[in-house]
Structures are given as C-alpha cells and as structure tokens.
Amino acid sequence: MSTAWIDLVDGALRRALPGRCAFCLAPGSDGHPWCEACFASLPWNLPACPCCAELQPGQLAGRLCGVCLRLPPAYDRARVPLRYEGEVAGLVRRFKFHASPRAGTVLLDLLMAGLSAEALAWPAAVVPVPLHPRRARERGFDQAGWLARRLARRSGRPLIEAERRRDTRSQRGLDRRERRANLRGAFRVEAALPSRVVLVDDVMTTGATLDALAVACRRAGAERVEVWAVARTPLGKH
C-alpha cells in the first residue's frame, strides 16, 4: 500500500471519528481518542524488564529479569507500554480479528504515547512481524503490517519487509528453549538492513517469534534491534 493511500485513508478516518474517548465516550483529551481518566486507568506494563518487557516486582524496576540474564534474546530491548488485559485486550481483538480501523488507530496512538521522543527517533528502519502467506490468506488482515506501515509513515522511517518461511506449529506448552528451536530459521530478510531496526507487532506473548525475527535481522546487517508492541501478555497467561 502506498504512503499516499495510507495518508488518504487515515485522514478520512480521523475526520469521520468523533473526538470522543474510545473507552467511555467522554470528550477526548488534547485530540487523543481517550479521556484522561480512562488513559490513567489502563493496564500499564510498569515496571517491566527492559529486555523482554515482562512485568517485574517493584524492587526490580529497571533491572533485567532472571530469564533474560540466563538466556538473553537476540533483540536488545522491548518497549511494550501496556498489558494484554481488560479494555486493551478488547481493542486488540477488535483490531486483529475484525480489522477495525478505529481500534487500530487507538492502539497505534497508545503505542506512540507510551514511547519517549528519544525512543521514537531511535530506529533507522521499521520491520513488521510477517504472517505466513497461508495465515494471511485465512485471516485476510495483517495487523502487524498495518501498525508498522503507519508507524513508519509517522516517523519518516523506511518500512522493510521480512519473509516468514515456515508456518510453525503452536508454541503452547513449550518452554523458552523449545520455542526458540521451533522458530529457528522461520524468517528471512533479503534486504540489507541499517544498523538500528525496530520490530513491530500488536501483542508480545513470550517473545520467541520476535527473537527469531531479530536473529534474521542481525544476519541481514542490523547491529541493534528493538521490539515495539502495544501490549504484553502477562506471565502465566502465555
């Protein structure tokens, strides 16, 4: 999809949507699709491990979790501002399974609101987590690509596509090492990547898929890799 078409569709969407909170329908705050009260009550993913974005006890704020110390992922950092719970989970489901542009716009705005100006300026390229072609045909909608295209457009960064070579079996019931083995070689990036890339997805569950994609990105030339997702599945619900 061309950037001009994205701008046209998103502009029409903004004009069509009323300036109301997506959660309670009160007037929005400062042009955002939420009010201050609902924004404050969302399930923010804080404090979290700076590497994998898993929620941490307060006394460990800012420190790597034990899992990342024992088995660090191929990406350097994960920035995931929200937890996949409550109103956020409802938005994600409407976006992912019903292709709701309203839900997608709110989720993208929440992701950007949860990132600092320094973080938003960091990447040199944006790489969405790709669906396998069979999954893409079945679902008819690529949520990570939708988010990544708009994020790249807003930030002025190039979008670089990766290829999902294998439709891997379910990760359910596998531990972290088994998940990594299941996804080994699942992705390929043919284009030469710049030194700093960000991987984009809607929800980060265990991080295994993003880890495998980060390996492929490093093989394509990336030296630093970050993960950005809207929401993190809480530990115990993977």
Side-chain angles (χ1 to χ4, degrees):
M1 182 183 292
S2 70
T3 56
W5 178 248
I6 290 174
D7 287 345
L8 180 64
V9 171
D10 288 356
L13 185 60
R14 284 193 296 271
R15 291 190 295 272
L17 294 173
R20 294 281 174 176
C21 174
F23 305 104
C24 72
L25 300 182
S29 173
D30 297 326
H32 296 299
W34 53 71
C35 67
E36 291 184 5
C38 287
F39 185 76
S41 67
L42 290 174
W44 296 101
N45 190 38
L46 297 169
C49 169
C51 185
C52 71
E54 192 73 76
L55 195 66
Q56 290 276 78
Q59 68 271 22
L60 296 178
R63 301 180 186 178
L64 295 183
C65 69
V67 174
C68 288
L69 287 171
R70 292 192 304 272
L71 192 64
Y75 50 83
D76 300 287
R77 180 172 186 137
R79 301 181 190 269
V80 189
L82 293 155
R83 298 193 306 277
Y84 184 70
E85 295 177 345
E87 296 279 9
V88 172
L91 271 177
V92 170
R93 286 193 290 268
R94 290 197 295 277
F95 174 55
K96 191 169 188 171
F97 300 114
H98 302 286
S100 166
R102 169 64 163 165
T105 299
V106 175
L107 291 171
L108 179 60
D109 286 351
L110 285 171
L111 172 60
M112 296 190 73
L115 297 169
S116 67
E118 180 183 10
L120 287 168
W122 180 84
V126 176
V127 180
V129 174
L131 286 173
H132 187 271
R134 184 180 66 80
R135 293 274 182 96
R137 287 193 299 270
E138 289 174 354
R139 187 176 296 172
F141 179 63
D142 179 2
Q143 73 279 358
W146 193 100
L147 290 170
R149 281 192 297 273
R150 285 155 177 79
L151 186 62
R153 180 62 175 165
R154 291 191 190 185
S155 63
R157 302 298 191 269
L159 182 82
I160 299 177
E161 301 278 359
E163 175 190 357
R164 187 153 190 158
R165 304 172 67 187
R166 294 191 294 110
D167 190 9
T168 53
R169 69 187 179 93
S170 172
Q171 300 277 76
R172 191 175 297 278
L174 305 180
D175 63 25
R176 180 168 288 203
R177 292 182 185 277
E178 290 169 336
R179 289 171 189 264
R180 282 189 171 184
N182 185 40
L183 286 157
R184 190 171 294 125
F187 299 102
R188 177 173 59 192
V189 181
E190 292 191 350
L193 292 178
S195 61
R196 302 185 313 278
V197 301
V198 62
L199 313 182
V200 176
D201 207 353
D202 57 337
V203 177
M204 182 177 183
T205 303
T206 65
T209 298
L210 291 153
D211 180 69
L213 181 55
V215 170
C217 287
R218 290 190 184 278
R219 288 175 178 164
E223 298 175 4
R224 301 279 294 174
V225 181
E226 286 198 359
V227 167
W228 294 0
V230 179
R232 185 71 156 90
T233 303
L235 187 65
K237 297 183 180 180
H238 294 170

